[in-house]
Amino acid sequence: MKIVTSREITTIDRLTIEEYKIPSLVLMERAALSVVKHIVKMSAKNLIILAGPGNNGGDGIAAGRILKNKVKKLTIFQPFCEDKLSQDCKTQLEIAQKFNIPIIRDYPQEKEIVHADVIIDAFFGTGLKRPIDGKLAQFIEKLNTFKKIIVAVDIASGICSDTGQLLGVAVKSDITVTFGLPKKGHMLYPGKDYTGKLFIEDIGFPEELIKSDSIKTTIIEKNFACSLVPPRPAYSHKGRYGHVLVIAGSTGKTGAALMTAKSALRAGSGLVTISIPELLKDVFQSKILEEMILPVPCTDRTLSRKALPQIIDFLNERATSVAFGPGVGVNEDIEIILKELILNCKCPMVIDADGITVLAGIKDTLKESKTDIILTPHPGELSRLINISVKDIEKQRTDIAQKIARDLNVVLVLKGVPTVVANPKEEVYLNPTGNPGMATGGSGDVLTGIIASLTGQGLSTLDASLLGVYIHGLAGDIAARVKGFHGMIAGDIIESLPEAFIELSK
């Protein structure tokens, strides 16, 4: 499903009215009916509608008129000056007056809020750009202290529909009824926390508009993820399912390499080999069963640049994908190895963790790459790579992911809540799976192994990333059902991968 910005939904709305000749008041009535559908299920007796000056307020007023005979008491509060009202909002207000609905040109008093069962927030929709301040901000802060059911029309007032950031203050809703398509602000934090349960209602936008290729952001849905799972023909063998070379691990960080390798196997790889510092050969040999190891020359802690000939030979002769970086260390030797791999590797490559930190000094090399590359940073690693603060990255996750994927000509997997996948064509995808229990050491290493496995099995770097983040989060959700959020570790995600693949196919 597509996810839109305020500009994109405004364009859809305008074209529906101008090109398809559906009057704006008809769309408003349909929006109001969509809200009413959810309100009537609540059996509310006392209803308050908070109406703003724009068309969002008009939606709320229209919903109130339709609900008039369905509740015991209904009051519309519309505290904005007449000259600030949109034409459609004025029209709905005039109609409501003819229906003898109580309309108060002020904010509700505390006693009125106390006696309300449900409050409809129709102050502002997706067009809000400036921070809410003054008396309205004070009212919203007070409103949020009451434990009342709040239903937001389109988007909670005060949430930026493009970034999910708070515009000063915002109404904290329990339910949001939005129209046509979800907005970015519904999916990105902190906006997601203010959205509550999201309902997406069809109010008559033409299908070709809401599915337009000009809309670049999409949410990864289960059916789509299922369609990406590599087939497993009955007549096949391990060589058919790829051979992942994991270049990872160093003294004190052997676990990262082991988890990357194990998750690659659990994601379906036929073969997995870990290229490790030869001084750690005995450590790794005692820990593995299904994986293989490729001991190579090393320094006192990490891989040495002298390992390059062995690694390159292995890549050219056997590997179908590479996972580089988890626990590999950060020094000049690792930088030289990574640079040569970028320039000479012919199979898809996933770069993560220490690999991304090292990449910061040689990222121009990406322009000369002979293969497709996936970067899987968390915000801290991306901050080091592009010299932008973590705070600024989190404020504009999708826009930054889009820009970096384009500028570096890579598929970028920006880990976090939600994980964002972007490609050089500026297409952006948001992953809906996952939970707080996955915020644990090694979770990113598991994702690296999954994505490397899927590229090794023949998926494109984009498809491998999309399926990878979805199945990674789904495995985390399955693990959380048993372990809970607090007790979950990365190994639980790995062990839940088989069940995740089963659940995805249901």
Side-chain angles (χ1 to χ4, degrees), residues 237-274:
H237 55 85
K238 63 188 177 185
R240 183 187 179 104
Y241 303 113
H243 191 157
V244 178
L245 178 63
V246 176
I247 304 173
S250 58
T251 301
K253 296 182 178 180
T254 56
L258 291 167
M259 284 188 288
T260 303
K262 183 65 70 177
S263 60
L265 283 171
R266 285 295 192 191
S269 290
L271 296 163
V272 174
T273 296
I274 316 171

PDB file of all heavy atoms in Angstrom, residues 237-274:
ATOM      1  N   HIS A 237      19.234 -29.192  -4.656  1.00  0.00           N
ATOM      2  CA  HIS A 237      20.334 -29.537  -3.757  1.00  0.00           C
ATOM      3  C   HIS A 237      20.886 -28.255  -3.144  1.00  0.00           C
ATOM      4  O   HIS A 237      20.509 -27.131  -3.554  1.00  0.00           O
ATOM      5  CB  HIS A 237      21.431 -30.297  -4.512  1.00  0.00           C
ATOM      6  CG  HIS A 237      21.934 -29.553  -5.714  1.00  0.00           C
ATOM      7  ND1 HIS A 237      22.928 -28.599  -5.652  1.00  0.00           N
ATOM      8  CD2 HIS A 237      21.541 -29.605  -7.021  1.00  0.00           C
ATOM      9  CE1 HIS A 237      23.145 -28.097  -6.858  1.00  0.00           C
ATOM     10  NE2 HIS A 237      22.319 -28.696  -7.718  1.00  0.00           N
ATOM     11  N   LYS A 238      21.806 -28.386  -2.191  1.00  0.00           N
ATOM     12  CA  LYS A 238      22.296 -27.222  -1.449  1.00  0.00           C
ATOM     13  C   LYS A 238      22.959 -26.174  -2.349  1.00  0.00           C
ATOM     14  O   LYS A 238      22.895 -24.970  -2.063  1.00  0.00           O
ATOM     15  CB  LYS A 238      23.280 -27.666  -0.369  1.00  0.00           C
ATOM     16  CG  LYS A 238      24.542 -28.341  -0.897  1.00  0.00           C
ATOM     17  CD  LYS A 238      25.371 -28.923   0.230  1.00  0.00           C
ATOM     18  CE  LYS A 238      26.598 -29.653  -0.320  1.00  0.00           C
ATOM     19  NZ  LYS A 238      27.359 -30.323   0.761  1.00  0.00           N
ATOM     20  N   GLY A 239      23.548 -26.603  -3.441  1.00  0.00           N
ATOM     21  CA  GLY A 239      24.212 -25.665  -4.329  1.00  0.00           C
ATOM     22  C   GLY A 239      23.257 -24.708  -5.017  1.00  0.00           C
ATOM     23  O   GLY A 239      23.665 -23.639  -5.490  1.00  0.00           O
ATOM     24  N   ARG A 240      21.991 -25.069  -5.043  1.00  0.00           N
ATOM     25  CA  ARG A 240      20.980 -24.234  -5.693  1.00  0.00           C
ATOM     26  C   ARG A 240      20.638 -23.011  -4.860  1.00  0.00           C
ATOM     27  O   ARG A 240      20.123 -22.024  -5.372  1.00  0.00           O
ATOM     28  CB  ARG A 240      19.724 -25.073  -5.935  1.00  0.00           C
ATOM     29  CG  ARG A 240      18.621 -24.339  -6.684  1.00  0.00           C
ATOM     30  CD  ARG A 240      17.348 -25.178  -6.737  1.00  0.00           C
ATOM     31  NE  ARG A 240      16.297 -24.453  -7.441  1.00  0.00           N
ATOM     32  CZ  ARG A 240      15.900 -24.695  -8.674  1.00  0.00           C
ATOM     33  NH1 ARG A 240      16.489 -25.669  -9.373  1.00  0.00           N
ATOM     34  NH2 ARG A 240      14.933 -24.007  -9.227  1.00  0.00           N
ATOM     35  N   TYR A 241      20.917 -23.060  -3.560  1.00  0.00           N
ATOM     36  CA  TYR A 241      20.423 -22.034  -2.643  1.00  0.00           C
ATOM     37  C   TYR A 241      21.502 -21.082  -2.132  1.00  0.00           C
ATOM     38  O   TYR A 241      21.349 -20.443  -1.101  1.00  0.00           O
ATOM     39  CB  TYR A 241      19.674 -22.702  -1.484  1.00  0.00           C
ATOM     40  CG  TYR A 241      18.547 -23.557  -2.000  1.00  0.00           C
ATOM     41  CD1 TYR A 241      18.563 -24.944  -1.864  1.00  0.00           C
ATOM     42  CD2 TYR A 241      17.485 -22.971  -2.686  1.00  0.00           C
ATOM     43  CE1 TYR A 241      17.545 -25.722  -2.377  1.00  0.00           C
ATOM     44  CE2 TYR A 241      16.460 -23.750  -3.207  1.00  0.00           C
ATOM     45  CZ  TYR A 241      16.492 -25.119  -3.052  1.00  0.00           C
ATOM     46  OH  TYR A 241      15.478 -25.887  -3.577  1.00  0.00           O
ATOM     47  N   GLY A 242      22.554 -20.979  -2.882  1.00  0.00           N
ATOM     48  CA  GLY A 242      23.531 -19.937  -2.611  1.00  0.00           C
ATOM     49  C   GLY A 242      24.584 -20.308  -1.594  1.00  0.00           C
ATOM     50  O   GLY A 242      24.411 -21.193  -0.754  1.00  0.00           O
ATOM     51  N   HIS A 243      25.715 -19.592  -1.688  1.00  0.00           N
ATOM     52  CA  HIS A 243      26.836 -19.778  -0.759  1.00  0.00           C
ATOM     53  C   HIS A 243      27.237 -18.388  -0.271  1.00  0.00           C
ATOM     54  O   HIS A 243      27.777 -17.568  -1.020  1.00  0.00           O
ATOM     55  CB  HIS A 243      28.001 -20.464  -1.470  1.00  0.00           C
ATOM     56  CG  HIS A 243      29.074 -20.931  -0.542  1.00  0.00           C
ATOM     57  ND1 HIS A 243      29.955 -21.939  -0.876  1.00  0.00           N
ATOM     58  CD2 HIS A 243      29.421 -20.549   0.715  1.00  0.00           C
ATOM     59  CE1 HIS A 243      30.790 -22.142   0.127  1.00  0.00           C
ATOM     60  NE2 HIS A 243      30.491 -21.293   1.107  1.00  0.00           N
ATOM     61  N   VAL A 244      26.949 -18.104   0.987  1.00  0.00           N
ATOM     62  CA  VAL A 244      27.239 -16.799   1.577  1.00  0.00           C
ATOM     63  C   VAL A 244      28.629 -16.824   2.206  1.00  0.00           C
ATOM     64  O   VAL A 244      28.950 -17.734   2.986  1.00  0.00           O
ATOM     65  CB  VAL A 244      26.199 -16.423   2.651  1.00  0.00           C
ATOM     66  CG1 VAL A 244      26.556 -15.071   3.291  1.00  0.00           C
ATOM     67  CG2 VAL A 244      24.804 -16.376   2.054  1.00  0.00           C
ATOM     68  N   LEU A 245      29.442 -15.825   1.875  1.00  0.00           N
ATOM     69  CA  LEU A 245      30.700 -15.626   2.564  1.00  0.00           C
ATOM     70  C   LEU A 245      30.509 -14.508   3.579  1.00  0.00           C
ATOM     71  O   LEU A 245      30.220 -13.366   3.217  1.00  0.00           O
ATOM     72  CB  LEU A 245      31.818 -15.255   1.588  1.00  0.00           C
ATOM     73  CG  LEU A 245      33.175 -14.969   2.261  1.00  0.00           C
ATOM     74  CD1 LEU A 245      33.711 -16.206   2.967  1.00  0.00           C
ATOM     75  CD2 LEU A 245      34.191 -14.449   1.245  1.00  0.00           C
ATOM     76  N   VAL A 246      30.663 -14.847   4.838  1.00  0.00           N
ATOM     77  CA  VAL A 246      30.548 -13.872   5.920  1.00  0.00           C
ATOM     78  C   VAL A 246      31.950 -13.415   6.297  1.00  0.00           C
ATOM     79  O   VAL A 246      32.765 -14.219   6.761  1.00  0.00           O
ATOM     80  CB  VAL A 246      29.834 -14.489   7.145  1.00  0.00           C
ATOM     81  CG1 VAL A 246      29.798 -13.493   8.303  1.00  0.00           C
ATOM     82  CG2 VAL A 246      28.418 -14.936   6.781  1.00  0.00           C
ATOM     83  N   ILE A 247      32.242 -12.152   6.090  1.00  0.00           N
ATOM     84  CA  ILE A 247      33.532 -11.587   6.466  1.00  0.00           C
ATOM     85  C   ILE A 247      33.286 -10.749   7.713  1.00  0.00           C
ATOM     86  O   ILE A 247      32.809  -9.609   7.636  1.00  0.00           O
ATOM     87  CB  ILE A 247      34.131 -10.733   5.328  1.00  0.00           C
ATOM     88  CG1 ILE A 247      34.236 -11.580   4.051  1.00  0.00           C
ATOM     89  CG2 ILE A 247      35.500 -10.186   5.714  1.00  0.00           C
ATOM     90  CD1 ILE A 247      34.660 -10.782   2.827  1.00  0.00           C
ATOM     91  N   ALA A 248      33.578 -11.330   8.857  1.00  0.00           N
ATOM     92  CA  ALA A 248      33.154 -10.711  10.112  1.00  0.00           C
ATOM     93  C   ALA A 248      33.966 -11.285  11.262  1.00  0.00           C
ATOM     94  O   ALA A 248      34.706 -12.253  11.107  1.00  0.00           O
ATOM     95  CB  ALA A 248      31.663 -10.959  10.345  1.00  0.00           C
ATOM     96  N   GLY A 249      33.804 -10.661  12.415  1.00  0.00           N
ATOM     97  CA  GLY A 249      34.436 -11.185  13.617  1.00  0.00           C
ATOM     98  C   GLY A 249      35.859 -10.712  13.820  1.00  0.00           C
ATOM     99  O   GLY A 249      36.600 -10.461  12.870  1.00  0.00           O
ATOM    100  N   SER A 250      36.226 -10.560  15.076  1.00  0.00           N
ATOM    101  CA  SER A 250      37.586 -10.207  15.488  1.00  0.00           C
ATOM    102  C   SER A 250      37.711 -10.589  16.958  1.00  0.00           C
ATOM    103  O   SER A 250      36.747 -11.078  17.563  1.00  0.00           O
ATOM    104  CB  SER A 250      37.839  -8.705  15.289  1.00  0.00           C
ATOM    105  OG  SER A 250      36.906  -7.939  16.030  1.00  0.00           O
ATOM    106  N   THR A 251      38.873 -10.398  17.531  1.00  0.00           N
ATOM    107  CA  THR A 251      39.059 -10.744  18.938  1.00  0.00           C
ATOM    108  C   THR A 251      38.050  -9.988  19.796  1.00  0.00           C
ATOM    109  O   THR A 251      37.945  -8.768  19.721  1.00  0.00           O
ATOM    110  CB  THR A 251      40.485 -10.385  19.401  1.00  0.00           C
ATOM    111  OG1 THR A 251      41.424 -11.091  18.584  1.00  0.00           O
ATOM    112  CG2 THR A 251      40.681 -10.771  20.857  1.00  0.00           C
ATOM    113  N   GLY A 252      37.275 -10.717  20.575  1.00  0.00           N
ATOM    114  CA  GLY A 252      36.253 -10.115  21.421  1.00  0.00           C
ATOM    115  C   GLY A 252      34.914  -9.927  20.753  1.00  0.00           C
ATOM    116  O   GLY A 252      33.943  -9.558  21.406  1.00  0.00           O
ATOM    117  N   LYS A 253      34.827 -10.180  19.444  1.00  0.00           N
ATOM    118  CA  LYS A 253      33.576  -9.979  18.708  1.00  0.00           C
ATOM    119  C   LYS A 253      33.250 -11.167  17.820  1.00  0.00           C
ATOM    120  O   LYS A 253      32.793 -11.020  16.690  1.00  0.00           O
ATOM    121  CB  LYS A 253      33.658  -8.701  17.862  1.00  0.00           C
ATOM    122  CG  LYS A 253      33.802  -7.421  18.675  1.00  0.00           C
ATOM    123  CD  LYS A 253      33.837  -6.210  17.754  1.00  0.00           C
ATOM    124  CE  LYS A 253      33.933  -4.919  18.535  1.00  0.00           C
ATOM    125  NZ  LYS A 253      33.970  -3.726  17.642  1.00  0.00           N
ATOM    126  N   THR A 254      33.475 -12.350  18.327  1.00  0.00           N
ATOM    127  CA  THR A 254      33.202 -13.544  17.525  1.00  0.00           C
ATOM    128  C   THR A 254      31.706 -13.794  17.379  1.00  0.00           C
ATOM    129  O   THR A 254      31.249 -14.353  16.382  1.00  0.00           O
ATOM    130  CB  THR A 254      33.857 -14.776  18.163  1.00  0.00           C
ATOM    131  OG1 THR A 254      33.391 -14.898  19.514  1.00  0.00           O
ATOM    132  CG2 THR A 254      35.378 -14.640  18.170  1.00  0.00           C
ATOM    133  N   GLY A 255      30.930 -13.365  18.371  1.00  0.00           N
ATOM    134  CA  GLY A 255      29.485 -13.623  18.349  1.00  0.00           C
ATOM    135  C   GLY A 255      28.797 -12.987  17.162  1.00  0.00           C
ATOM    136  O   GLY A 255      27.860 -13.566  16.598  1.00  0.00           O
ATOM    137  N   ALA A 256      29.250 -11.796  16.764  1.00  0.00           N
ATOM    138  CA  ALA A 256      28.615 -11.114  15.636  1.00  0.00           C
ATOM    139  C   ALA A 256      28.722 -11.944  14.363  1.00  0.00           C
ATOM    140  O   ALA A 256      27.756 -12.084  13.608  1.00  0.00           O
ATOM    141  CB  ALA A 256      29.264  -9.734  15.438  1.00  0.00           C
ATOM    142  N   ALA A 257      29.888 -12.509  14.119  1.00  0.00           N
ATOM    143  CA  ALA A 257      30.092 -13.333  12.930  1.00  0.00           C
ATOM    144  C   ALA A 257      29.247 -14.599  12.995  1.00  0.00           C
ATOM    145  O   ALA A 257      28.642 -15.016  11.991  1.00  0.00           O
ATOM    146  CB  ALA A 257      31.570 -13.690  12.792  1.00  0.00           C
ATOM    147  N   LEU A 258      29.198 -15.216  14.160  1.00  0.00           N
ATOM    148  CA  LEU A 258      28.444 -16.460  14.312  1.00  0.00           C
ATOM    149  C   LEU A 258      26.947 -16.241  14.105  1.00  0.00           C
ATOM    150  O   LEU A 258      26.277 -17.054  13.459  1.00  0.00           O
ATOM    151  CB  LEU A 258      28.711 -17.058  15.697  1.00  0.00           C
ATOM    152  CG  LEU A 258      30.127 -17.610  15.910  1.00  0.00           C
ATOM    153  CD1 LEU A 258      30.379 -17.873  17.390  1.00  0.00           C
ATOM    154  CD2 LEU A 258      30.339 -18.886  15.101  1.00  0.00           C
ATOM    155  N   MET A 259      26.416 -15.138  14.637  1.00  0.00           N
ATOM    156  CA  MET A 259      24.982 -14.868  14.467  1.00  0.00           C
ATOM    157  C   MET A 259      24.649 -14.537  13.013  1.00  0.00           C
ATOM    158  O   MET A 259      23.604 -14.944  12.495  1.00  0.00           O
ATOM    159  CB  MET A 259      24.545 -13.732  15.394  1.00  0.00           C
ATOM    160  CG  MET A 259      24.401 -14.166  16.837  1.00  0.00           C
ATOM    161  SD  MET A 259      23.664 -12.911  17.905  1.00  0.00           S
ATOM    162  CE  MET A 259      25.019 -11.754  18.009  1.00  0.00           C
ATOM    163  N   THR A 260      25.530 -13.811  12.353  1.00  0.00           N
ATOM    164  CA  THR A 260      25.308 -13.505  10.937  1.00  0.00           C
ATOM    165  C   THR A 260      25.261 -14.789  10.118  1.00  0.00           C
ATOM    166  O   THR A 260      24.383 -14.977   9.265  1.00  0.00           O
ATOM    167  CB  THR A 260      26.423 -12.580  10.403  1.00  0.00           C
ATOM    168  OG1 THR A 260      26.469 -11.384  11.189  1.00  0.00           O
ATOM    169  CG2 THR A 260      26.192 -12.219   8.949  1.00  0.00           C
ATOM    170  N   ALA A 261      26.194 -15.677  10.389  1.00  0.00           N
ATOM    171  CA  ALA A 261      26.259 -16.942   9.647  1.00  0.00           C
ATOM    172  C   ALA A 261      25.055 -17.827   9.941  1.00  0.00           C
ATOM    173  O   ALA A 261      24.446 -18.411   9.025  1.00  0.00           O
ATOM    174  CB  ALA A 261      27.553 -17.666   9.993  1.00  0.00           C
ATOM    175  N   LYS A 262      24.711 -17.938  11.221  1.00  0.00           N
ATOM    176  CA  LYS A 262      23.584 -18.806  11.603  1.00  0.00           C
ATOM    177  C   LYS A 262      22.278 -18.295  11.002  1.00  0.00           C
ATOM    178  O   LYS A 262      21.447 -19.091  10.519  1.00  0.00           O
ATOM    179  CB  LYS A 262      23.480 -18.874  13.122  1.00  0.00           C
ATOM    180  CG  LYS A 262      22.381 -19.807  13.639  1.00  0.00           C
ATOM    181  CD  LYS A 262      22.651 -21.257  13.290  1.00  0.00           C
ATOM    182  CE  LYS A 262      23.819 -21.796  14.092  1.00  0.00           C
ATOM    183  NZ  LYS A 262      24.044 -23.238  13.806  1.00  0.00           N
ATOM    184  N   SER A 263      22.075 -16.983  11.016  1.00  0.00           N
ATOM    185  CA  SER A 263      20.832 -16.449  10.457  1.00  0.00           C
ATOM    186  C   SER A 263      20.783 -16.639   8.944  1.00  0.00           C
ATOM    187  O   SER A 263      19.702 -16.829   8.372  1.00  0.00           O
ATOM    188  CB  SER A 263      20.680 -14.974  10.817  1.00  0.00           C
ATOM    189  OG  SER A 263      21.748 -14.198  10.318  1.00  0.00           O
ATOM    190  N   ALA A 264      21.934 -16.601   8.268  1.00  0.00           N
ATOM    191  CA  ALA A 264      21.959 -16.861   6.828  1.00  0.00           C
ATOM    192  C   ALA A 264      21.491 -18.280   6.531  1.00  0.00           C
ATOM    193  O   ALA A 264      20.735 -18.519   5.575  1.00  0.00           O
ATOM    194  CB  ALA A 264      23.364 -16.622   6.277  1.00  0.00           C
ATOM    195  N   LEU A 265      21.930 -19.217   7.345  1.00  0.00           N
ATOM    196  CA  LEU A 265      21.478 -20.604   7.165  1.00  0.00           C
ATOM    197  C   LEU A 265      19.982 -20.731   7.435  1.00  0.00           C
ATOM    198  O   LEU A 265      19.257 -21.381   6.683  1.00  0.00           O
ATOM    199  CB  LEU A 265      22.254 -21.527   8.107  1.00  0.00           C
ATOM    200  CG  LEU A 265      23.688 -21.878   7.689  1.00  0.00           C
ATOM    201  CD1 LEU A 265      24.402 -22.598   8.821  1.00  0.00           C
ATOM    202  CD2 LEU A 265      23.692 -22.745   6.425  1.00  0.00           C
ATOM    203  N   ARG A 266      19.516 -20.114   8.510  1.00  0.00           N
ATOM    204  CA  ARG A 266      18.093 -20.193   8.858  1.00  0.00           C
ATOM    205  C   ARG A 266      17.212 -19.510   7.815  1.00  0.00           C
ATOM    206  O   ARG A 266      16.022 -19.807   7.712  1.00  0.00           O
ATOM    207  CB  ARG A 266      17.856 -19.559  10.231  1.00  0.00           C
ATOM    208  CG  ARG A 266      18.312 -20.401  11.402  1.00  0.00           C
ATOM    209  CD  ARG A 266      17.499 -21.668  11.499  1.00  0.00           C
ATOM    210  NE  ARG A 266      17.715 -22.363  12.766  1.00  0.00           N
ATOM    211  CZ  ARG A 266      17.305 -23.589  13.025  1.00  0.00           C
ATOM    212  NH1 ARG A 266      16.650 -24.269  12.078  1.00  0.00           N
ATOM    213  NH2 ARG A 266      17.537 -24.151  14.194  1.00  0.00           N
ATOM    214  N   ALA A 267      17.789 -18.581   7.056  1.00  0.00           N
ATOM    215  CA  ALA A 267      17.019 -17.905   6.006  1.00  0.00           C
ATOM    216  C   ALA A 267      17.049 -18.660   4.689  1.00  0.00           C
ATOM    217  O   ALA A 267      16.497 -18.197   3.698  1.00  0.00           O
ATOM    218  CB  ALA A 267      17.548 -16.486   5.802  1.00  0.00           C
ATOM    219  N   GLY A 268      17.693 -19.825   4.677  1.00  0.00           N
ATOM    220  CA  GLY A 268      17.597 -20.687   3.503  1.00  0.00           C
ATOM    221  C   GLY A 268      18.846 -20.911   2.694  1.00  0.00           C
ATOM    222  O   GLY A 268      18.803 -21.602   1.673  1.00  0.00           O
ATOM    223  N   SER A 269      19.987 -20.354   3.110  1.00  0.00           N
ATOM    224  CA  SER A 269      21.216 -20.562   2.335  1.00  0.00           C
ATOM    225  C   SER A 269      21.622 -22.023   2.333  1.00  0.00           C
ATOM    226  O   SER A 269      21.530 -22.722   3.348  1.00  0.00           O
ATOM    227  CB  SER A 269      22.356 -19.721   2.921  1.00  0.00           C
ATOM    228  OG  SER A 269      22.150 -18.360   2.686  1.00  0.00           O
ATOM    229  N   GLY A 270      22.112 -22.480   1.176  1.00  0.00           N
ATOM    230  CA  GLY A 270      22.585 -23.854   1.085  1.00  0.00           C
ATOM    231  C   GLY A 270      23.914 -24.036   1.797  1.00  0.00           C
ATOM    232  O   GLY A 270      24.154 -25.063   2.447  1.00  0.00           O
ATOM    233  N   LEU A 271      24.785 -23.019   1.712  1.00  0.00           N
ATOM    234  CA  LEU A 271      26.117 -23.078   2.307  1.00  0.00           C
ATOM    235  C   LEU A 271      26.496 -21.711   2.864  1.00  0.00           C
ATOM    236  O   LEU A 271      26.151 -20.677   2.290  1.00  0.00           O
ATOM    237  CB  LEU A 271      27.153 -23.492   1.254  1.00  0.00           C
ATOM    238  CG  LEU A 271      27.002 -24.894   0.646  1.00  0.00           C
ATOM    239  CD1 LEU A 271      27.807 -25.001  -0.642  1.00  0.00           C
ATOM    240  CD2 LEU A 271      27.444 -25.958   1.652  1.00  0.00           C
ATOM    241  N   VAL A 272      27.213 -21.730   3.980  1.00  0.00           N
ATOM    242  CA  VAL A 272      27.712 -20.491   4.584  1.00  0.00           C
ATOM    243  C   VAL A 272      29.141 -20.724   5.059  1.00  0.00           C
ATOM    244  O   VAL A 272      29.422 -21.702   5.760  1.00  0.00           O
ATOM    245  CB  VAL A 272      26.850 -20.039   5.776  1.00  0.00           C
ATOM    246  CG1 VAL A 272      27.485 -18.828   6.461  1.00  0.00           C
ATOM    247  CG2 VAL A 272      25.435 -19.693   5.325  1.00  0.00           C
ATOM    248  N   THR A 273      30.035 -19.838   4.660  1.00  0.00           N
ATOM    249  CA  THR A 273      31.431 -19.885   5.112  1.00  0.00           C
ATOM    250  C   THR A 273      31.760 -18.561   5.806  1.00  0.00           C
ATOM    251  O   THR A 273      31.388 -17.492   5.316  1.00  0.00           O
ATOM    252  CB  THR A 273      32.390 -20.093   3.933  1.00  0.00           C
ATOM    253  OG1 THR A 273      32.136 -21.383   3.349  1.00  0.00           O
ATOM    254  CG2 THR A 273      33.845 -20.025   4.383  1.00  0.00           C
ATOM    255  N   ILE A 274      32.471 -18.653   6.944  1.00  0.00           N
ATOM    256  CA  ILE A 274      32.886 -17.460   7.662  1.00  0.00           C
ATOM    257  C   ILE A 274      34.376 -17.259   7.460  1.00  0.00           C
ATOM    258  O   ILE A 274      35.187 -18.128   7.806  1.00  0.00           O
ATOM    259  CB  ILE A 274      32.599 -17.570   9.178  1.00  0.00           C
ATOM    260  CG1 ILE A 274      31.212 -18.144   9.446  1.00  0.00           C
ATOM    261  CG2 ILE A 274      32.742 -16.203   9.851  1.00  0.00           C
ATOM    262  CD1 ILE A 274      30.953 -18.476  10.917  1.00  0.00           C
TER     263      ILE A 274
END
